[in-house]
Amino acid sequence: MKQVVSAETIVSMLKQVTSSDKDFVALHEPSFQGNEWTYVKDCLDTGWVSSVGKYVDRLEEMLQEFTGVKRAVAVVNGTAALHICLKLVGVERDDEVIIPALTFIATANAVTYCDAIPHFVDSSEETLGLDPLKLGDYLQEIAEVRNHTCFNKKTGRRIKAVVPMHTFGHPVELDTLVEVCQRYHLELVEDAAESLGSYYKGTHTGNWGRVSALSFNGNKIVTTGGGGAILTNDETLGRLAKHITTTAKVPHKWEFVHDQIGYNYRMPNINAALGCAQLEQLPDFLPKKRALAKFYENQFLHFEGASFVSEPKHCRSNYWLNAIRLSADYMNLRDEILRATNEQGMMTRPVWRLLSSLPMYADAPQMDLSVAKKLEQSIVNIPSSAHLGGTYVEA
Amino acid sequence: MKQVVSAETIVSMLKQVTSSDKDFVALHEPSFQGNEWTYVKDCLDTGWVSSVGKYVDRLEEMLQEFTGVKRAVAVVNGTAALHICLKLVGVERDDEVIIPALTFIATANAVTYCDAIPHFVDSSEETLGLDPLKLGDYLQEIAEVRNHTCFNKKTGRRIKAVVPMHTFGHPVELDTLVEVCQRYHLELVEDAAESLGSYYKGTHTGNWGRVSALSFNGNKIVTTGGGGAILTNDETLGRLAKHITTTAKVPHKWEFVHDQIGYNYRMPNINAALGCAQLEQLPDFLPKKRALAKFYENQFLHFEGASFVSEPKHCRSNYWLNAIRLSADYMNLRDEILRATNEQGMMTRPVWRLLSSLPMYADAPQMDLSVAKKLEQSIVNIPSSAHLGGTYVEA
Ligand SMILES: Cc1ncc(COP(=O)(O)O)c(C=O)c1O
Ligand SMILES: Cc1ncc(COP(=O)(O)O)c(C=O)c1O
């Protein structure tokens, strides 16, 4: 009954899911079946499309309610959210910030925007995200804590923060990571760009970090066109997040006084309007995505040489992007599978190149990255849009 | 026949323009009477709201055609545009960048984002923008050119660039400024955030700088909700602008390779859709704004103690924000005028606080700012929306 993985067997398996009259199936496309028109048109009719308007406030309230954080601040995108998160926890010039080598480029760039240096660490086979146990062992070797501050013994630089990323929506082992961060006096910032709707031990991702970042890019589980949010349970930091993402202007009816360096990172009202309509539908998207994942999971039980990436222990994943892993003997098929599926109009994708291999980050400090290297070669993302799961949702 | 300026006389003059059943008249509000809804709905219907889609390309082409620059790159807002403009001309850590003290905070913040230092200079009475003659004299005193590079003799730092800003749409004396920049080997970057539709000697602003920045914020002459653009006549810089504002990703069907530090500054397609519809109407907005300005200009001929700010010599201004200046004897009325007009629902505003007086810029280098200080105390902006000019447009 086992099928051996190959470009052909993957193509025919995917065809079951994607069978439609469309000649192109996206990896992840948004679905606008709710109040998108109504809210966006309301912006146009009232003229409130920009920095003033009710949808930004409403979106922030909806995010607070959905994730359970005390304060959500809507911003222009996930990259901006990460940048400000790092500023908020005090990352400064020449600090090191620990991030996985296996993540989207924005995680590292946000560190660079603070004039700080990414320090790349390895991933876990189970979560695909930062491996907290391996990190703990590594810090024991290279780090030293003086005056409640962590230093890299080799470089002499302060290590200020750790930014785990919940890959494809699968949460990292947050309990263990929180413990490592406490031990080494490191600030925890969650890159939750991909994990809106994902829970670790029953609590939504974004609640463990002192601050966390969401993305509402067009490929995410909900979209605002471009957008993101800063999440925090620290109300002082929440207020500060709002202030510095809105040019640090001191409220006044007409005077222009800004009291610190600020950013124009506010989300325009028209994008927030789209976001409100999308968030209303998140409870509908999640079971569809879960049903699609379960379908894939079952299919891959019968495959030899490839396995489906299921949610980690203690986690409920949003299954934002479904992924398979090729086993060692079949990794050489990756590019053939990518080529065949994409040629037939079914979009698939490898995971990111390890950031430590990109020219601008090649000299950054790093630990042994053997698991991340294996993952880099063996992962293939497969079509994941919520609407594809519609037919599999249980009645 | 002369009327003496006072809170009452200004209120009653403004009432002629703003008479409507609305109980609040904005300083500048957008008007969505064109294809806004059609284009935005097209985005929602096709699902292309984010980083892919035709409206970004179309907006860039329309901007090129309208301004005459070779390359326009749409970005997330005017602040981001300025940030990247400075990067493109090579502003680096610890450089000084010459900017007017009298401008919106974004001009200075963009310099700070490059880890560079704003160097504040004075304004011209006629243009309200950077005074190139005074700058020339000042540089003669404090600057020295070695190896085609300009240094501040006092601080020892390199002076890399000059960023004039076309205040309220009124162009600075670009001919003279270009000449000063050439003499001192300074890069010219125009902050044209306020001057879409403004011309100097028949050529659109944004064509003199090596790169220039536009803003499409909600209060600007056309809006995309939030947005901006980088303009340049240098095609190599134009391509680079596109590349680094889109995460510096190297094009590939599925691989993620980024070849330098990049930014997520792309404008979402849904915002660009709004922008296309707005730009189509710019030829209709401009004469309305001009007619409104002419009406105000005539009114203020009869005022003692206040004068209207008309377009400078050799310029055709977009009259983005109309402004009056109180003469020395009447400057003490400014706050009373602001209070009375705002209380009666007619929005007016002073100009920005001089940036050199804000806490984070108090230590930055500066020249004598006597004109800027006078302008800061004497300017009042008055309602300027295009639709207010509708009744004054000549048949
Ligand atoms: C892991 C991760 N971090 C950060 C980002 C940045 O978000 P954005 O594209 O909204 O800037 C993304 C998404 O693109 C992401 O996947
Ligand atoms: C002079 C000036 N520069 C820069 C900007 C920044 O543009 P944005 O608000 O789109 O970031 C503005 C407008 O807000 C401006 O008036």
Side-chain angles (χ1 to χ4, degrees), chain A residues 76-331:
Chain A
V76 86
N77 55 49
T79 307
L82 274 173
H83 178 195
I84 298 304
C85 283
L86 294 173
K87 288 260 170 207
L88 288 171
V89 301
V91 172
E92 289 175 2
R93 180 181 294 181
D94 294 333
D95 281 343
E96 293 183 9
V97 176
I98 290 169
I99 68 169
L102 188 69
T103 179
F104 178 61
I105 190 75
T107 322
N109 282 344
V111 174
T112 304
Y113 303 157
C114 298
D115 297 315
I117 295 133
H119 187 144
F120 296 111
V121 298
D122 206 11
S123 307
S124 133
E125 295 254 10
E126 208 217 344
T127 69
L128 311 183
L130 190 153
D131 182 337
L133 285 179
K134 192 163 174 177
L135 174 62
D137 291 346
Y138 178 63
L139 287 173
Q140 190 165 359
E141 185 193 317
I142 66 130
E144 115 191 305
V145 174
R146 296 195 306 266
N147 268 327
H148 306 284
T149 307
C150 184
F151 291 92
N152 181 332
K153 285 190 283 186
K154 291 186 192 163
T155 63
R157 289 188 288 243
R158 179 169 75 160
I159 308 179
K160 184 63 188 174
V162 179
V163 188
M165 194 276 284
H166 306 302
T167 313
F168 310 145
H170 303 305
V172 305
E173 282 168 75
L174 282 160
D175 266 357
T176 316
L177 184 57
V178 165
E179 203 256 299
V180 170
C181 287
Q182 279 166 355
R183 191 166 356 128
Y184 285 94
H185 295 270
L186 298 169
E187 297 284 359
L188 178 58
V189 173
E190 289 175 73
D191 180 345
E194 308 188 346
S195 68
L196 179 63
S198 295
Y199 297 79
Y200 179 78
K201 296 197 173 168
T203 300
H204 197 282
T205 51
N207 275 279
W208 275 264
R210 203 150 152 231
V211 282
S212 306
L214 295 179
S215 164
F216 311 121
N217 187 21
N219 66 353
K220 295 298 187 287
I221 192 163
V222 301
T223 186
T224 61
I230 298 163
L231 307 181
T232 183
N233 284 309
D234 179 328
E235 305 207 22
T236 309
L237 282 189
R239 272 191 301 274
L240 189 57
K242 190 68 179 185
H243 187 59
I244 64 176
T245 55
T246 55
T247 75
K249 186 171 180 301
V250 180
H252 187 285
K253 201 155 180 177
W254 56 64
E255 285 282 1
F256 288 90
V257 177
H258 308 259
D259 62 2
Q260 58 178 291
I261 302 297
Y263 298 84
N264 181 5
Y265 277 169
R266 88 179 78 218
M267 180 187 286
N269 200 47
I270 187 171
N271 301 86
L274 199 55
C276 289
Q278 286 272 289
L279 261 191
E280 288 170 357
Q281 295 163 84
L282 184 55
D284 173 54
F285 296 157
L286 284 168
K288 287 185 180 155
K289 292 182 69 68
R290 194 166 190 81
L292 178 63
K294 290 294 151 198
F295 173 84
Y296 280 136
E297 192 171 51
N298 279 327
Q299 290 292 310
F300 280 96
L301 289 178
H302 310 296
F303 267 84
E304 183 181 316
S307 58
F308 182 74
V309 177
S310 299
E311 62 196 351
K313 266 198 307 284
H314 310 303
C315 295
R316 189 170 177 92
S317 173
N318 66 1
Y319 282 106
W320 168 56
L321 271 196
N322 292 302
I324 59 172
R325 282 189 59 189
L326 302 171
S327 51
D329 293 347
Y330 294 87
M331 286 193 321

Side-chain angles (χ1 to χ4, degrees), chain B residues 275-297:
Chain B
C276 290
Q278 286 273 288
L279 261 191
E280 287 170 358
Q281 294 164 84
L282 183 55
D284 172 55
F285 296 157
L286 283 167
K288 287 185 181 156
K289 292 182 69 70
R290 195 165 190 82
L292 178 64
K294 289 295 150 198
F295 173 83
Y296 281 136
E297 191 171 51

Side-chain angles (χ1 to χ4, degrees), chain A residues 350-365:
Chain A
V351 73
W352 312 281
R353 283 272 180 93
L354 293 197
L355 301 186
S356 48
S357 73
L358 299 179
M360 59 286 193
Y361 292 122
D363 294 334

